[in-house]
Amino acid sequence: MMDELEQDIDKAAEMLRQAKAVVALTGAGVSAESGVPTFRGKEGLWEKFDPSTLEIGNFMKNPLRTWQVLRALFEGSLGQVRPNAAHEFLARLETQGKLLGIVTQNIDGLHQKAGSRVVHEFHGSMEWLVAPRSGHRYLAKDFDLGQLPPICPKSGEALKPDFVFFGEAIPAAAIRGAQELLTRADLLLVVGTAGVVWPASELPRLAKLGGARIIEINPESAMTRELGINDLWLRGPAGELCARLSEKLWP
Ligand code: OAD
């Protein structure tokens, strides 16, 4: 007899076959099986680091202190990680013309490494450093983080990673891109997000208002279920379940 999860995977595969405009909203959990730590939960970053280090006001007051924490992020697992089956599954859906694009809260660049092309980085990315006042931008890989904080050669300011700190606005282009995708979606895949950080947490509702069906993949909780807008919850790790979905869709 088929277990409940197997039946749900079959249902999800059928919903994907029927869909013509899939959009994915992803969070830290999509990269968990690549070895990237999530923020919340037992092994989460917020257990090790004080989230206030990533407040923009604290960075401006003491960039060195923030960078001492950030160096661990840049030089630790985040620098070397590889995409997993979930990133690859979403990239393949796009190649096949099914998926319009991805809205991600992640800064790890793994969707792009897997081959996804339309990726709106709602919280920015680790790839760039930016001078907060003058706006000059540089590729992070060109800076030696042995000397902290990295300094803008043009303005002399301490450079900040170009991801969104607490207290900063979401990049306008990412908001526009996300809205444009979500209003066109007929199926939204919500993968690996706790859904507690605003305004990303509002995005599934936008898709639902536009008539999209919603599948959420998460081993522990389902934010869209709590909102009462969920059509299916695949309860399990994204990499493993996406590998199983791939087998169903492309045997
Ligand atoms: P969280 O760390 O808050 O949540 C991660 C979610 O992934 C949880 O719901 C886990 O249950 C789930 N999860 C864990 N392992 C998984 C797996 N193998 N497959 C699928 N899901 C899994 O991460 P986000 O929701 O992305 O913002 O956090 C949102 C924002 O909070 C981040 O972008 C960051 C942080 O503050 C900024 O830095 C601006």
Side-chain angles (χ1 to χ4, degrees):
M1 210 180 85
M2 257 205 266
D3 68 19
E4 206 180 319
L5 182 59
E6 185 68 19
Q7 286 178 15
D8 284 347
I9 292 173
D10 274 341
K11 259 190 235 162
E14 192 46 40
M15 285 163 81
L16 281 159
R17 277 187 209 104
Q18 287 167 8
K20 294 194 170 58
V22 181
V23 172
L25 169 66
T26 66
V30 79
S31 299
E33 285 147 279
S34 295
V36 178
T38 58
F39 293 91
R40 295 166 187 85
K42 264 205 310 285
E43 306 277 303
L45 287 172
W46 297 155
E47 288 293 311
K48 286 198 213 134
F49 303 116
D50 179 353
S52 72
T53 6
L54 291 188
E55 271 167 22
I56 188 64
N58 288 340
F59 175 82
M60 296 307 272
K61 269 187 254 152
N62 192 345
L64 178 59
R65 199 164 68 215
T66 302
W67 267 108
Q68 282 162 343
V69 171
L70 288 174
R71 178 158 53 191
L73 282 183
F74 276 79
E75 290 179 349
S77 59
L78 262 180
Q80 297 118 38
V81 291
R82 310 291 321 147
N84 66 49
H87 302 101
E88 280 157 13
F89 175 70
L90 296 176
R92 187 160 176 190
L93 281 177
E94 185 185 18
T95 310
Q96 303 213 333
K98 258 239 179 246
L99 183 127
L100 302 177
I102 298 172
V103 180
T104 188
Q105 296 164 85
N106 299 345
I107 58 172
D108 56 30
L110 287 180
H111 287 302
Q112 294 91 330
K113 272 197 194 152
S116 288
R117 284 180 306 255
V118 180
V119 182
H120 296 293
E121 292 176 310
F122 215 68
H123 292 160
S125 125
M126 286 181 67
E127 207 185 348
W128 295 89
L129 302 181
V130 63
R133 294 201 174 87
S134 60
H136 293 111
R137 290 172 90 237
Y138 305 92
L139 279 171
K141 67 174 173 51
D142 294 340
F143 279 77
D144 171 13
L145 298 181
Q147 274 219 309
L148 293 178
I151 298 293
C152 173
K154 293 182 187 142
S155 67
E157 296 168 74
L159 291 167
K160 177 190 148 306
D162 200 11
F163 55 75
V164 176
F165 277 37
F166 295 113
E168 285 193 299
I170 305 297
I175 295 188
R176 274 197 307 276
Q179 283 173 337
E180 197 259 332
L181 282 186
L182 288 159
T183 47
R184 285 166 62 205
D186 64 6
L187 177 63
L188 176 67
L189 296 175
V190 177
V191 188
T193 178
V196 296
V197 174
W198 185 88
S201 54
E202 284 298 320
L203 296 174
R205 249 198 280 257
L206 195 62
K208 195 72 197 175
L209 282 174
R213 299 213 270 175
I214 299 183
I215 300 175
E216 181 155 357
I217 305 181
N218 194 309
E220 281 159 37
S221 59
M223 55 132 0
T224 55
R225 193 167 183 240
E226 280 150 31
L227 291 171
I229 57 172
N230 172 287
D231 293 276
L232 183 63
W233 175 14
L234 293 184
R235 189 168 192 171
E240 191 187 312
L241 296 190
C242 287
R244 288 172 70 177
L245 272 172
S246 293
E247 280 165 25
K248 301 268 180 205
L249 289 176
W250 309 298

